[in-house]
Amino acid sequence: MLRPAVRLSNGYRLYDEDSVATLRFLRRAQGFGITLREIKQLIDLTQRGRKPCEHARKLISQHLAEVERQIHELGALRKELRSVARRAESCEASEGQLCPIIEGVNSN
């Protein structure tokens, strides 16, 4: 559990071992994309004497699925941008026309 830090005269904060462990856990969980709200749920489970592992597994699975979805979407976007970039090499807008590269209009 995170306890209030002792503030030293130089402005630094001094945390006890449990607080340091909680802060490390928090930073690592954030690195996995787990939100502060979700982290709080895990900490609350632990403080109530329950094992948070099953809940953590579900969170990790959800975040993994979201990352997989984003990777898929980014792959499709990359493919589309590569195609547009190839077409853009020979593209020129007509007088008064917005950029046909972005509009998706073939200017040839």
Side-chain angles (χ1 to χ4, degrees):
M1 184 172 98
L2 193 59
R3 294 183 184 90
V6 174
R7 187 165 302 265
L8 303 176
S9 60
N10 60 6
Y12 289 4
R13 293 181 180 156
L14 188 61
Y15 293 96
D16 64 25
E17 296 272 337
D18 287 341
S19 294
V20 170
T22 300
L23 288 170
R24 281 192 187 118
F25 173 81
L26 191 144
R27 297 297 293 172
R28 180 124 169 106
Q30 283 182 312
F32 292 138
I34 299 173
T35 66
L36 289 176
R37 181 173 161 252
E38 293 166 334
I39 294 167
K40 183 178 183 325
Q41 292 170 352
L42 295 172
I43 292 171
D44 288 347
L45 285 170
T46 302
Q47 289 175 343
R48 290 191 308 235
R50 296 180 59 201
K51 294 180 180 179
C53 296
E54 183 60 33
H55 189 68
R57 275 191 285 278
K58 288 177 184 174
L59 286 174
I60 290 167
S61 292
Q62 290 169 358
H63 284 276
L64 177 59
E66 177 62 17
V67 167
E68 295 287 352
R69 182 192 64 74
Q70 290 173 345
I71 289 170
H72 177 74
E73 288 177 1
L74 286 170
L77 177 60
R78 178 179 54 194
K79 184 178 177 181
E80 184 177 4
L81 287 170
R82 284 180 176 163
S83 174
V84 169
R86 282 190 298 275
R87 289 193 317 266
E89 292 176 14
S90 63
C91 182
E92 295 222 10
S94 305
E95 183 74 26
Q97 180 184 23
L98 290 174
C99 179
I101 299 166
I102 294 177
E103 289 179 314
V105 176
N106 190 350
S107 63
N108 296 334

